[in-house]
Amino acid sequence: MTPLPLVAVAGSPNAGKSALFNALTGARQKVGNYPGVTVERHSGRLTLADGRPVELVDLPGAYSLDPASPDEAVTRDVLLGKQKGERTPDALVIVVDASNLDSHLRFALQLIELGLPTIVALNMVDLAKRDGLELDPKRLETELGVPVIETVAVRKRGLPELQAALDDMLSAPRCAVNERVPSELIQLQRRARDIAKAAVVSESPTRRWTHRLDSVLLHPVAGPVILAAILFVMFQAVFAWSEIPVGWIESGMALLASAATDVIPAGVLQSLIVDGVIGGVGAVVVFLPQILILFLFILMLEASGYMVRAAFIMDKLMHGAGLSGRAFIPLLSSFACAVPGIMATRTIDNPKDRLTTILVAPLMTCSARLPVYTLIIAAFIPDRAVGPGIGLQGLVMFGLYVAGVVGALLAALTLRRTITKGGGGRS
Amino acid sequence: MTAHFKPESISLDQLEVGSRASIASIDWDALEAGESARLKHFGFDEGVVVEPLHFGPFGRDPLAIRVGRMTVAIRRSHARAVRVTLPQ
């Protein structure tokens, strides 16, 4: 039995390589291991239009054929036919990010030089278009000398075209592998930039207005003031906006309780339903509006892109506490709940930074603690204004949150000097 | 005095907001593995044009750098590893 034609999928990290591989192979995947290294080998089967099966292998993401990690070494060795336990691929699909052509084409050029039958998948063209970048795939094709197919892997767009191109490629007679001396990386980079420039049809400066907005939001003085104001409004809103829906829930619960009292005869059962179930659930449900408002704010900050700006502003201060600016988002999310906050720490690549962030995240006041704060504030702090639009209760709430933040930063500093000493944060 | 064929280079952290310069060299060994991988992914390389857009409010750190069509944030201490040349 002759082995199936082997097609390798290669590309830089974040080009959407694995998304394309998944879209092409569907659920028919096998995860194995390359012998001698702890690098996973993902392979799958793809059936071409004429029913011919093809084996697809998803190579680890790499920036060039000069390996910087064991993963990249596997990519190079497979492509050069030097990897133990792997055949030399019969064809190659190079995935490039349309919005990031400059850097992704460099690797693509290096791979094309290998002389294997190659197709370039110009991926994420939808995102490039949204950013006002229009590319000419035909021009790219002439410049690169290999077929270029526009794809949107996550939306499964361009896949039939890619399969058809693959079909043509595998049907054509094999050409000899190129024995040419590989070009210098810097030359490839320059050619990549020239080609990327040539392939651009139109490039609208859509970023202009965001830049103008950023000069206010990231202004050395206005930036931190705006950040503090947004956080302050957020915590005021948690109190003020929730008053009305809390009133509705309270009167709703009262109505329900009196209705239950009327229906159920006085006794143990009535007490269980009215005081236990309705009273107990009601005491928890009244906090729902506050939690929802907090989540709404965090979602809006995340979706609008402000969260990234906040991380930028806070980085220096976080750095002072031995944390990364990237810890700001997980820590702010911990206001909603520490669990997703801790999960969000996976974006921090330094392991010690990440551990420190995880350890201090629960010190941030999460929304489940909000009812306790609310209860205590309502009981001990008079509801009066200390200024226009500033309630004393909201101010105390703000202060409690600040205390949580300060506590977390102090804890981070202590941890950084003891348990998670060295590396990363304080470089 | 000897004639200098190489144009004067400064480190990226000395570049002012709004001035464009091209990367002359990057001292990859001065960067931690994670940071150098991140910069490579952003397309930091010799000959690439960079432009600082904003500085952080505290100690002018970090730096928001435009590279290609992206704006990326890097710390001042890391920017020191990148040498740039101003256009003549």
Side-chain angles (χ1 to χ4, degrees), chain B residues 8-88:
Chain B
E8 205 63 39
S9 78
I10 55 171
S11 67
L12 179 56
D13 68 303
Q14 289 172 298
L15 202 60
E16 277 307 313
V17 163
S19 45
R20 294 161 68 87
S22 64
I23 297 176
S25 63
I26 302 169
D27 184 5
W28 293 114
D29 296 334
L31 297 165
E32 303 132 39
E35 188 64 21
S36 71
R38 200 172 76 98
L39 293 189
K40 273 181 194 156
H41 164 58
F42 291 150
F44 272 69
D45 204 340
E46 286 165 25
V48 172
V49 174
V50 287
E51 177 192 349
L53 295 180
H54 311 279
F55 292 147
F58 309 106
R60 289 157 53 93
D61 192 17
L63 296 77
I65 306 283
R66 190 210 295 279
V67 44
R69 291 180 62 78
M70 282 187 294
T71 304
V72 303
I74 74 169
R75 282 197 185 143
R76 203 159 270 283
S77 57
H78 296 137
R80 254 174 236 134
V82 181
R83 305 287 303 179
V84 297
T85 45
L86 290 159
Q88 262 68 56

Side-chain angles (χ1 to χ4, degrees), chain A residues 78-359:
Chain A
V78 169
L79 290 170
L80 297 179
K82 287 178 185 162
Q83 176 65 44
K84 248 190 290 167
E86 186 76 281
R87 290 170 283 147
T88 311
D90 298 290
L92 184 60
V93 176
I94 306 172
V95 189
V96 296
D97 174 2
S99 342
N100 205 355
L101 272 189
D102 293 24
S103 58
H104 284 187
L105 276 186
R106 182 194 57 208
F107 185 41
L109 284 169
Q110 208 177 16
L111 294 179
I112 291 169
E113 274 195 342
L114 294 174
L116 288 169
T118 300
I119 301 169
V120 169
L122 188 60
N123 200 22
M124 302 198 264
V125 278
D126 56 335
L127 291 183
K129 257 185 204 128
R130 197 198 62 191
D131 276 352
L133 179 70
E134 189 108 27
L135 295 167
D136 180 1
K138 285 281 157 243
R139 181 68 200 271
L140 210 54
E141 219 168 84
T142 10
E143 294 284 348
L144 294 174
V146 299
V148 175
I149 313 284
E150 285 186 290
T151 57
V152 182
V154 286
R155 306 210 185 292
K156 303 208 187 299
R157 266 173 49 198
L159 299 188
E161 291 85 347
L162 187 66
Q163 290 198 20
L166 211 52
D167 198 349
D168 293 346
M169 194 133 284
L170 291 170
S171 308
R174 282 289 308 271
C175 49
V177 167
N178 213 333
E179 292 294 333
R180 218 149 49 88
V181 183
S183 305
E184 287 284 321
L185 209 58
I186 186 79
Q187 288 170 340
L188 289 173
Q189 176 72 50
R190 290 205 182 120
R191 238 173 80 212
R193 275 204 299 279
D194 291 343
I195 293 174
K197 210 180 275 171
V200 172
V201 176
S202 66
E203 191 173 11
S204 64
T206 47
R207 300 276 168 98
R208 280 273 174 275
W209 67 273
T210 54
H211 183 218
R212 215 166 300 155
L213 201 59
D214 274 344
S215 43
V216 179
L217 292 177
L218 301 178
H219 186 271
V221 181
V225 172
I226 292 170
L227 176 61
I230 287 175
L231 294 181
F232 182 71
V233 166
M234 183 165 115
F235 296 123
Q236 278 287 325
V238 165
F239 246 93
W241 297 3
S242 62
E243 257 172 46
I244 296 167
V246 164
W248 294 340
I249 292 171
E250 276 173 346
S251 43
M253 284 298 168
L255 269 174
L256 206 62
S258 71
T261 316
D262 290 345
V263 173
I264 306 163
V268 181
L269 187 66
Q270 191 202 56
S271 174
L272 176 74
I273 299 293
V274 175
D275 303 327
V277 177
I278 298 174
V281 172
V284 177
V285 170
V286 286
F287 298 112
L288 192 64
Q290 295 179 336
I291 294 170
L292 289 181
I293 290 168
L294 189 69
F295 268 89
L296 178 73
F297 265 90
I298 287 178
L299 260 173
M300 283 196 308
L301 291 179
E302 186 89 72
S304 65
Y306 185 75
M307 208 68 117
V308 188
R309 272 77 184 173
F312 182 80
I313 291 171
M314 294 305 291
D315 183 73
K316 187 74 184 177
L317 295 185
M318 307 285 284
H319 192 38
L323 291 169
S324 144
R326 264 171 276 181
F328 186 68
I329 292 167
L331 290 183
L332 200 60
S333 305
S334 299
F335 281 137
C337 180
V339 174
I342 287 170
M343 291 190 319
T345 59
R346 53 171 299 166
T347 57
I348 306 170
D349 21 68
N350 185 290
K352 284 185 173 168
D353 273 5
R354 192 164 54 231
L355 180 62
T356 314
T357 312
I358 290 171
L359 288 173

